[in-house]
Amino acid sequence: MLRNEEIKTSSDTSNMHQNFQIVNHGIPGTVLDDMLDGVLRFHEQDTEIKKEFYSRDVTKGVYYNTNFDLYVTPALKWRDTLSCVMAPHPLDPHKLPTVCRDITIEYCEYVKKVGTNLFELLSEALGLNYNYLKDIDCAEGLFLLSHYSPPCPQPELTFGASSHYDSSFITVLLQDQLGGLQVFHQNQWVDVTPVPGALVVNLGNMMQLITNDKFLSVKHRVLAHKIGPRVSVASFFRQHLPPENSRIYGPIRELLTPDNPPVYKETSVKDLVLHHNGKGLDGTSALGPFRL
Ligand code: OGA
Ligand code: NI
């Protein structure tokens, strides 16, 4: 796990790590590998079996589709996704596909602990009590996206994921060793090279909103590949759509001063997610309408 000093605490946000990789996070390598294998097994089943899970109803606990933003996106991404709402309410395990059920539950137990640790460290990096972000329920919701990108004959014409910001507080990302993930840093796209056993952490839009731009969410994308498949698992720490969230979030009062007045309105995660989903992955931040 990264140490506290490794997260910049400076008030200068220009150098803030919006994206970093962690090792020694406590999840055994076998669990990481088994989770990626489970995702592969799910996606490589017969269409007839996967059909049972196919849905675009985001209020379902478990659903499988391609391009959540299919009807609004300017361009299609070369990727299918199994989405599972794992927390705050425990999911009925029988809703999960049999081929990846046990490992998904096990992985999520571990990833929740990693998330809790990260929220403690990030609270301290903000100069707050280490319980602060947990106490405002940032670690409560867990939305798991298990992605699969088949080999792509013309990768230059599409993306695994086009440029976007995550709607979460933070996202803990497990990727295989194929690569393709990039972050936008100092005006250019930079590869996030896979490190065996490491997890990638992205700061998301909700984190940017509650920290009043002290922690910025990271713009990122995934290139498509001729070889493949590529699999990845994104654990979004945020609550999901109704009936799960009513809590209102705004810039944390303790971080505000006369020189640093709030730059965002108060909002619910639901409103941010609905706006994010409604516009699709168009490269812009979902925070626009929430700015004062
Ligand atoms: C995401 C995402 C990256 C990846 O799910 O939001 O950015 O490598 N995923 O799959
Ligand atoms: Ni993302």
Side-chain angles (χ1 to χ4, degrees):
M1 182 56 80
L2 79 179
R3 293 192 319 276
N4 195 27
E5 313 83 82
E6 291 176 42
I7 301 178
K8 281 241 162 74
T9 52
S10 144
S11 57
D12 170 13
T13 54
S14 60
N15 287 324
M16 177 56 208
H17 295 267
Q18 300 160 257
N19 164 284
F20 45 88
Q21 301 213 48
I22 53 174
V23 292
N24 300 328
H25 40 61
I27 312 188
T30 48
V31 172
L32 302 180
D33 292 346
D34 289 354
M35 183 65 206
L36 291 172
D37 284 349
V39 175
L40 204 60
R41 275 197 303 277
F42 171 77
H43 286 279
E44 295 197 337
Q45 292 175 107
D46 280 356
T47 306
E48 281 307 306
I49 300 174
K50 288 190 287 184
K51 246 166 129 172
E52 263 181 65
F53 296 93
Y54 177 78
S55 176
R56 294 195 172 273
D57 177 359
V58 297
T59 65
K60 282 195 152 183
V62 176
Y63 54 96
Y64 158 68
N65 62 36
T66 186
N67 287 255
F68 76 94
D69 55 357
L70 185 66
Y71 299 113
V72 289
T73 185
L76 291 187
K77 277 76 70 181
W78 199 259
R79 176 173 90 171
D80 297 335
T81 303
L82 176 69
S83 305
C84 308
V85 184
M86 302 302 295
H89 305 298
L91 181 74
D92 173 1
H94 292 104
K95 287 193 173 167
L96 288 166
T98 344
V99 285
C100 56
R101 181 179 296 157
D102 293 350
I103 186 59
T104 300
I105 293 168
E106 188 182 3
Y107 177 74
C108 285
E109 284 312 309
Y110 277 110
V111 100
K112 276 187 211 162
K113 289 190 194 131
V114 173
T116 300
N117 277 333
L118 286 166
F119 283 116
E120 290 176 354
L121 291 166
L122 291 167
S123 298
E124 291 188 345
L126 289 165
L128 303 167
N129 180 290
Y130 78 103
N131 280 320
Y132 198 100
L133 294 174
K134 287 186 298 182
D135 285 349
I136 61 168
D137 293 344
C138 295
E140 286 296 292
L142 178 59
F143 180 49
L144 195 79
L145 300 174
S146 298
H147 300 301
Y148 178 92
S149 293
C152 180
Q154 290 180 285
E156 64 288 355
L157 296 183
T158 182
F159 284 99
S162 52
S163 167
H164 69 283
Y165 301 82
D166 291 349
S167 54
S168 53
F169 292 99
I170 60 172
T171 304
V172 176
L173 181 79
L174 166 63
Q175 58 168 338
D176 66 16
Q177 298 301 303
L178 215 62
L181 176 65
Q182 296 185 322
V183 293
F184 197 66
H185 180 67
Q186 292 176 345
N187 258 348
Q188 54 182 333
W189 288 104
V190 179
D191 289 332
V192 180
T193 307
V195 174
L199 295 165
V200 177
V201 181
N202 290 336
L203 302 188
N205 279 332
M206 282 303 298
M207 184 63 83
Q208 180 166 341
L209 184 141
I210 62 169
T211 64
N212 207 40
D213 283 349
K214 182 155 180 154
F215 288 175
L216 300 176
S217 57
V218 63
K219 186 161 154 173
H220 56 287
R221 68 181 189 185
V222 185
L223 303 178
H225 290 90
K226 260 208 162 102
I227 50 164
R230 176 182 188 270
V231 282
S232 60
V233 182
S235 301
F236 275 53
F237 283 88
R238 65 153 167 81
Q239 300 211 332
H240 204 55
L241 293 165
E244 302 212 358
N245 69 74
S246 51
R247 190 165 188 137
I248 300 294
Y249 289 94
I252 293 171
R253 292 220 166 82
E254 287 81 342
L255 301 179
L256 302 176
T257 61
D259 292 339
N260 180 30
V263 293
Y264 295 105
K265 305 187 232 193
E266 299 203 318
T267 182
S268 61
V269 179
K270 179 187 119 187
D271 284 349
L272 184 111
V273 172
L274 285 177
H275 175 64
H276 175 88
N277 289 358
K279 71 177 187 58
L281 299 189
D282 62 356
T284 68
S285 166
L287 287 171
F290 303 98
R291 248 178 207 282
L292 285 170

